Amino acid sequence: LAFNKLEGELPLTLVNITKLETLKLFSNGFTGRIPSNIGALTNLKVLELFNNNFSGEIPSSIGSLLELEVFIASSNGLTGKLPHSMSNLKSLKVLSVFDNALFGSVPASFGNLLELEELVLSNNGFYGNLPNELSQLTKLKTLLLSNNQFKGDFTALKSKLPNIVNFDSDNANRRSSLATLDDDENDD
């Protein structure tokens, strides 16, 4: 249903499609909140809501989507903190929420998302130190953090992520462009 100029709020009855595994609603004109009962779609593996006009918080019920592998809600008007319940998403490979108005710190429990390959948090209002637990995400290939207020030793974190390819920590006190490790290794 992507690119269909669909508008309005997502109906709460959407959760009645209990066998739904993929929901791609990106690049439409959806407004309002992500339905709080979204967690009832327990077979959902892919949820792509990016490039819409969703607002409000990411509902904590998202932590009930235990089969979820991809959650992309970038380029919306989402606010609030990342729900701690997201750390229940043990199958999650992609978490992308860039270009919203999210804030707060990254929960340390996100270090439990051991299948995570892509974490994109750029262009929000996140702040504080990144939790050391993120160094447990050994499958992580992409970590984009720019245009937030994170603090800490990003070089040390990067060195603990053996598969990292794309890393961007361009923050207020740090100026670095997108670093590709392959390029770094070839600079000899």
Side-chain angles (χ1 to χ4, degrees):
L1 297 173
F3 296 108
N4 276 300
K5 299 181 183 177
L6 300 173
E7 296 180 344
E9 295 187 10
L10 286 182
L12 293 175
T13 55
L14 180 70
V15 300
N16 294 336
I17 312 171
T18 56
K19 295 191 188 288
L20 190 63
E21 292 184 7
T22 300
L23 185 57
K24 295 184 178 186
L25 299 174
F26 58 88
S27 297
N28 281 294
F30 286 111
T31 58
R33 297 177 173 267
I34 298 171
S36 60
N37 61 352
I38 194 82
L41 294 172
T42 55
N43 290 311
L44 206 58
K45 292 183 180 181
V46 176
L47 180 56
E48 296 182 357
L49 304 174
F50 62 92
N51 200 21
N52 279 288
N53 295 303
F54 288 110
S55 58
E57 297 181 356
I58 297 171
S60 62
S61 68
I62 199 157
S64 299
L65 301 176
L66 301 181
E67 302 296 320
L68 196 64
E69 296 176 5
V70 175
F71 178 65
I72 305 175
S74 302
S75 299
N76 280 289
L78 297 173
T79 59
K81 297 180 179 184
L82 291 171
H84 286 274
S85 64
M86 291 182 87
S87 62
N88 297 334
L89 305 177
K90 306 293 188 218
S91 299
L92 197 64
K93 294 180 181 177
V94 176
L95 172 56
S96 179
V97 292
F98 73 86
D99 201 17
N100 279 291
L102 297 167
F103 61 86
S105 58
V106 175
S109 57
F110 276 30
N112 297 328
L113 301 174
L114 299 179
E115 297 301 315
L116 202 61
E117 296 176 8
E118 188 174 317
L119 179 58
V120 184
L121 304 177
S122 303
N123 301 326
N124 279 288
F126 294 116
Y127 54 81
N129 289 316
L130 288 171
N132 291 330
E133 290 81 358
L134 291 185
S135 64
Q136 300 172 115
L137 304 178
T138 57
K139 293 184 179 181
L140 202 62
K141 295 176 183 171
T142 298
L143 179 59
L144 304 180
L145 306 169
S146 63
N147 297 316
N148 286 292
Q149 298 300 314
F150 288 123
K151 296 186 285 186
D153 187 349
F154 299 104
T155 305
L157 174 62
K158 181 177 163 184
S159 70
K160 293 177 184 176
L161 300 170
N163 293 309
I164 201 78
V165 176
N166 295 319
F167 184 87
D168 185 1
S169 63
D170 180 10
N171 286 296
N173 298 323
R174 289 177 173 56
R175 301 298 304 169
S176 66
S177 60
L178 185 64
T180 302
L181 292 186
D182 293 334
D183 292 341
D184 291 348
E185 293 170 358
N186 293 329
D187 285 345
D188 299 336

